[in-house]
Structures are given as C-alpha cells and as structure tokens.
Amino acid sequence: MVVPKKKSANGWSLPGSPLYREVRRQIVNAIDALEWRPGEVIPSEKILCERFGVSMGTLRKAVDELVVTGVLVRKQGLGTFVGQHSQNRYLFSFFHLVGRDGQKEYPGVVFRAFAVTAADNVTAQSLGVKVGARLFCLSNVLSLQGKVTSMDEIYLPALQFRGLTEQRLRDRRTTLYQMYQDEFRITVARTSERIRGCAANRSLARVLQTDIGAPLLEIIRVAYTFQDRPIELRYSYVKTEKCEYQTGTYFGSRT
Amino acid sequence: MVVPKKKSANGWSLPGSPLYREVRRQIVNAIDALEWRPGEVIPSEKILCERFGVSMGTLRKAVDELVVTGVLVRKQGLGTFVGQHSQNRYLFSFFHLVGRDGQKEYPGVVFRAFAVTAADNVTAQSLGVKVGARLFCLSNVLSLQGKVTSMDEIYLPALQFRGLTEQRLRDRRTTLYQMYQDEFRITVARTSERIRGCAANRSLARVLQTDIGAPLLEIIRVAYTFQDRPIELRYSYVKTEKCEYQTGTYFGSRT
DNA sequence: CAGTGGTCTAGACCACATT
DNA sequence: ATGTGGTCTAGACCACTGT
C-alpha cells in the first residue's frame, strides 16, 4: 500500500501535536466561531474527512477526544452534535448533592438576591479580572425534597454577562448554565471545587433554617469555559443534615 | 480488500459488547490471574494481536480503555505496563486535601489504633459482607505541614486481609493502597466519597487538637477493586482550618 | 541497531434512525 | 433505501528507548 511521505497542507505532524490534535483544534474553532451551535448536528464524518484532508481513523480520534470531554455527542444513525447543557446534564455533571439514600434529584431553586458589586482581591484572582471590575452577584436558595438545603452566592464578570437583570433571573426556567449558554454564548466546560467545613452564622442560620453554629459545608466553585477561562465563582453553604456531597475518583487520572 | 464475514473464535461481536471489549476483558483476566503483575511489562502489541486474533486497531482500542482507567500504562519505546500504586499516584488520584495555597503534599501519617470488630448493618452493606463478619479497624492521624489535620478510621474485611497485624501497620513505609497491592494482591481501582459537615465531639476535638463543636468534614469513602467489589470503608474527619478538600468535574461524564 | 508504542491510511461491513 | 455513526482490518511510517 502506498502512503505519501508527507501530509499535504501542514507539513506532517510533530510529536506532541499530532494530526488529530490539529483536527480537534479546528473543530473547536468552528464551534467557537458559532459555525455549529450547541445542540446542532455537525457534518458527517465522511464530509469532515474530506474537509480536513484526513482519514476516518484520524478524524474519529479527534472526535473521540471531544466526546469524552462533552464538547461533542455522537448519536448512532443520526449524526454528531455539539454538546449542550441541559437539566439532566447539570444534575449528572455539576450537581453533587444527593439525599441520604444516595438518590439524585434536581433541586428546587428560589431566587434570593441580585446586586452589582466590585471585585475584591480574592474574587478578582479567581475570575481572572482586575480588582474593582464590575461583577454581578446573585444568590439562590436550593431545596431538596422540599427542605431548604443550600444557599448559593454567585459572582459573574459583568463584561461577559452584559444585559443580565434581576427580572431575567426571576423569569428563567432553566439551569443557570443553560442560561449562560443560550443567552450569553458561554459554555461551562469544567468546574473546580474546594470544600471546607464552617459554622452557620446568624444570617446563614436564618436562611438555612438551622441553628447558629450548625456545621455546614462551604463549597467554593470556579467554573471554566472550553478555553479554560474562569467565568463564574460560586460559594455554596450546605446543610448536610439530609443530604451529602458525593464524588468519585478513578485509579487513572483524567486528561 | 477482503474481510472475513465472521471472526474466527467467538462468532463475531454483538452490539454493546464489541470485540475490543472482549479483548479488554481477557487482558483484565490475565492481570487478575497474576499472569502479569503490577509494574510488569505485558507482551508487545503485535504479540497480543496474534494471541487474541485481532488487528492492531482493535487491540489498541482495548488497551486505550485500560489506560484511561489506569489499569495499564504505556511507555513509548519500552512497552505497556500493568499499573501500580505509588505515593505519587495516591497523592494525585485519591488524596484530595490541599493546603490553603492549593499545593498538594503527602501527609504525615501516624498510626493510632488497631482492632478487630464485627460488621454492623451499615458497614456490612457498604463492604458487601454479612452482618457480623470479622473486620479489621485501624485508625491514623494525618498531618499537613506539621499540623494535625485529619483522623481516619478504616474498616477492612478480615477475609481479604488475612494476616494483617498491628505490627505490620506500624512498620509500613508505603501508602496503605500500596500495601493492599503488594501484600494482599488487592488493587484499588476507584473510590466513591460522600461528604458531610459535622461538629467535633470530645474525642475528635482531642485528637485533632481543636475545640468541641468545631466544624469538620466527615468524608465517607468506599474503595473498590477492578472487579468493582468494595474492599475498604474509610471515615475521615478533617479540620479544614488550614486545608481544603479539592475536586474537579468536566462537562462530559466519565465512563 | 532492533523493538516498542504513536500515528495514520483507505477502505470494509454492522447496527441504527429516518424517509 | 439511504445516510449516519460503530466496529474492524492489514498494513505503513514516525518517534522513542535501550543495547
């Protein structure tokens, strides 16, 4: 069988940046450029092979990597789709509280407050903005099985969420991450969380309907886009009397 | 090009259990049967292709899946190795506490207690043993940056850890998971953790050198083998004054 | 140098979903 | 019937490692 010594366009692949990475990069670029939008089909594998000038195997390797990270979703017989946030996806990927029975359930969310603030030192660092930058701050109360469970305080860089208002938050019927995606074209790709124990102060005790000094989880979450830029800082204060934070780890590490 | 209508031995692959899964299963079986031991090289890909009667692409797909879960490790130019536990691996995969600066550090471990007990209801359920089954219970105190941080209470089914004694625990110089692997031929493949907030009682306060009522994290971990059988139940009580529990999640889900 | 994994090709047939 | 992704083949050359 005859194999050309060099790939046509880009002068063959270097080690560490093989051809399928380049293909992956081009696919991500097309998604960033909104050529294909969340939930839409992308062209068939055969057509993408021609477009990028690679074989099926190489294209599939590129798509495989985007599938495991959730950027793309394959549906046999239908096509390959750009991943999108949904309530189920949120529940499965980003919401870690479960009942004592281990069952997952989408929480009841009640809007609590909305404000415009300026980034302090810590917040600016976490969000990668300048100290004093305009931020939106919103707060929700979450319930599981009808019981108040958690209070969230969420900080968003105003620049990326231009036009966000209290009314839009009150009216929304989707998860916040769906709203980021559909209304602001921001897709949350991964989150990083740090957890500490803390005692309820007077304010938290009132909101969470518990005693002052009750042990809570403080969860500090930073959410990142596909380009790995931080886009949301969230503090959650969780009363774990009737629920638990659940997570799992594998022997191997995730790349 | 001519392709045979059927695979030789096993009558072609069914949907949902394709050929590369069968190959994967056979590789895992060989590891379970100790044909290849943790840290050892397995035969080259070409030889495995012949052994299983499949092509390179199929074999690589099987190996790929075992690599992402850490069962196998590829080293270019050297070969493919059976994964093994190490201190670094533990730190990276299973130890989630970091300093407030976000830096990881292997904790100082001080042996605290060893006992033989019988499984109660909850423990039996978690470990998949009968109520009343013999268990070993051991307890350690963990320190980060020289400061007492966490108290662990670990339950192990005595049946699988025959011969474990207090002296062996005191003498050990490796992580527990290395000991499970090297001395008992048990490899921890994944863990599942549930986290709650709790207040220090008198005993915990003394061990962790803090006040009664201080907010702690209670982490309940179950560790599983490659066959997904529970093998360890661990309660950790963590003082998060100088450290945090850190975790991350991706858009896609892990399979 | 020989042997290993890493990448890539050009196709084939299978299983699924829609028309 | 057509088109999609899912699986599989039988090789090729590239890059790395140890002798």
Side-chain angles (χ1 to χ4, degrees):
Chain A
M1 200 170 292
V2 180
V3 176
K5 199 77 180 260
K6 289 260 178 193
K7 273 304 297 177
S8 51
N10 50 7
W12 200 265
S13 49
L14 287 69
S17 114
L19 186 51
Y20 66 84
R21 296 274 181 179
E22 170 62 19
V23 172
R24 187 181 76 170
R25 205 179 57 75
Q26 292 197 34
I27 294 174
V28 171
N29 284 349
I31 294 173
D32 284 343
L34 298 176
E35 181 178 343
W36 312 313
R37 304 194 174 208
E40 288 182 4
V41 211
I42 70 173
S44 77
E45 299 187 337
K46 197 175 295 182
I47 293 185
L48 289 178
C49 287
E50 292 168 13
R51 166 161 168 175
F52 299 126
V54 300
S55 76
M56 279 281 303
T58 301
L59 181 90
R60 281 190 69 85
K61 187 148 186 176
V63 173
D64 280 343
E65 293 197 352
L66 294 169
V67 166
V68 296
T69 52
V71 178
L72 295 178
V73 178
R74 287 207 188 93
K75 296 184 186 175
Q76 191 175 30
L78 290 176
T80 304
F81 298 75
V82 180
Q84 65 180 331
H85 283 276
S86 67
Q87 186 166 304
N88 263 340
R89 186 135 213 181
Y90 180 75
L91 205 58
F92 200 66
S93 287
F94 296 111
F95 188 70
H96 297 117
L97 299 182
V98 299
R100 297 303 292 278
D101 52 2
Q103 284 306 299
K104 281 215 170 182
E105 164 198 342
Y106 191 74
V109 181
V110 175
F111 174 85
R112 188 169 158 268
F114 178 75
V116 179
T117 71
D120 62 22
N121 245 318
V122 175
T123 311
Q125 173 115 30
S126 296
L127 285 175
V129 299
K130 290 193 177 125
V131 175
R134 250 170 68 96
L135 300 179
F136 294 128
C137 172
L138 56 129
S139 176
N140 291 320
V141 174
L142 272 57
S143 301
L144 286 174
Q145 296 166 336
K147 312 272 189 181
V148 170
T149 300
S150 165
M151 197 271 274
D152 286 6
E153 238 173 51
I154 299 165
Y155 295 88
L156 304 170
L159 215 64
Q160 272 93 341
F161 289 87
R162 198 175 293 279
L164 181 62
T165 60
E166 178 169 336
Q167 199 55 48
R168 288 176 80 174
L169 289 167
R170 286 185 182 279
D171 292 347
R172 100 190 137 87
R173 302 206 165 279
T174 64
T175 69
L176 272 180
Y177 288 179
Q178 285 175 274
M179 186 190 80
Y180 297 173
Q181 177 178 82
D182 297 336
E183 302 188 25
F184 299 96
R185 309 232 173 277
I186 291 168
T187 299
V188 170
R190 71 175 185 95
T191 58
S192 165
E193 300 193 330
R194 291 144 48 210
I195 307 178
R196 307 182 53 225
C198 76
N201 60 20
R202 183 191 306 261
S203 160
L204 277 170
R206 199 183 62 244
V207 173
L208 294 177
Q209 302 173 12
T210 188
D211 302 324
I212 293 177
L216 305 175
L217 299 185
E218 179 187 42
I219 305 172
I220 305 161
R221 172 197 292 182
V222 181
Y224 299 84
T225 65
F226 282 137
Q227 293 80 42
D228 230 40
R229 291 192 314 121
I231 198 64
E232 177 204 80
L233 172 63
R234 176 185 301 219
Y235 295 88
S236 298
Y237 298 91
V238 182
K239 183 174 66 170
T240 52
E241 287 166 14
K242 296 230 162 43
C243 74
E244 293 167 337
Y245 181 98
Q246 185 179 267
T247 183
T249 312
Y250 289 74
F251 187 16
S253 55
R254 179 138 195 177
T255 322
Chain B
M1 199 169 290
V2 180
V3 176
K5 199 74 181 264
K6 288 262 181 193
K7 275 302 298 177
S8 50
N10 51 7
W12 201 265
S13 48
L14 285 68
S17 112
L19 186 51
Y20 65 85
R21 297 273 179 178
E22 170 62 20
V23 172
R24 188 182 77 171
R25 206 178 57 75
Q26 291 197 34
I27 293 174
V28 171
N29 284 349
I31 295 173
D32 283 343
L34 299 176
E35 181 177 344
W36 313 311
R37 305 196 175 207
E40 288 182 3
V41 212
I42 70 174
S44 78
E45 299 187 337
K46 196 176 296 184
I47 294 185
L48 289 178
C49 286
E50 293 167 11
R51 166 160 169 176
F52 298 126
V54 300
S55 77
M56 278 283 302
T58 301
L59 180 90
R60 280 191 69 84
K61 187 148 187 177
V63 172
D64 280 344
E65 292 197 353
L66 294 169
V67 166
V68 297
T69 53
V71 178
L72 296 178
V73 177
R74 286 206 188 94
K75 296 184 185 175
Q76 192 176 25
L78 291 175
T80 304
F81 298 75
V82 180
Q84 64 180 331
H85 283 275
S86 68
Q87 186 165 304
N88 263 340
R89 185 135 215 181
Y90 180 75
L91 206 58
F92 199 67
S93 287
F94 296 112
F95 188 69
H96 298 117
L97 300 182
V98 300
R100 297 302 292 276
D101 52 2
Q103 284 305 300
K104 281 213 170 182
E105 165 198 341
Y106 191 74
V109 181
V110 175
F111 175 86
R112 188 169 158 267
F114 178 76
V116 178
T117 71
D120 62 21
N121 245 317
V122 175
T123 310
Q125 174 115 32
S126 297
L127 285 175
V129 299
K130 289 196 178 123
V131 175
R134 251 169 68 97
L135 300 180
F136 294 128
C137 173
L138 56 128
S139 177
N140 291 321
V141 174
L142 272 58
S143 301
L144 286 174
Q145 296 165 336
K147 311 272 189 181
V148 170
T149 300
S150 165
M151 196 271 272
D152 286 6
E153 237 172 54
I154 299 166
Y155 295 88
L156 302 170
L159 216 62
Q160 271 92 340
F161 289 87
R162 200 175 293 278
L164 181 62
T165 61
E166 179 169 336
Q167 199 54 47
R168 289 175 80 173
L169 288 167
R170 286 186 182 278
D171 291 348
R172 101 192 137 86
R173 302 206 166 280
T174 64
T175 68
L176 272 180
Y177 288 179
Q178 285 175 274
M179 187 189 81
Y180 297 173
Q181 178 179 80
D182 297 338
E183 302 189 26
F184 299 96
R185 309 235 172 276
I186 291 168
T187 299
V188 171
R190 71 175 184 96
T191 59
S192 164
E193 301 193 329
R194 290 144 48 207
I195 306 178
R196 307 181 53 223
C198 76
N201 60 21
R202 183 190 304 262
S203 159
L204 277 170
R206 198 183 62 246
V207 173
L208 294 177
Q209 301 173 12
T210 188
D211 302 324
I212 292 178
L216 304 176
L217 299 184
E218 178 187 43
I219 305 173
I220 305 161
R221 172 197 290 182
V222 181
Y224 298 85
T225 64
F226 282 136
Q227 294 82 43
D228 231 40
R229 291 193 314 121
I231 198 64
E232 176 203 81
L233 171 64
R234 175 186 301 220
Y235 295 87
S236 298
Y237 297 91
V238 182
K239 183 174 66 169
T240 52
E241 286 166 16
K242 297 227 163 42
C243 74
E244 293 167 336
Y245 181 97
Q246 185 179 268
T247 182
T249 313
Y250 289 75
F251 188 16
S253 53
R254 180 139 194 175
T255 324

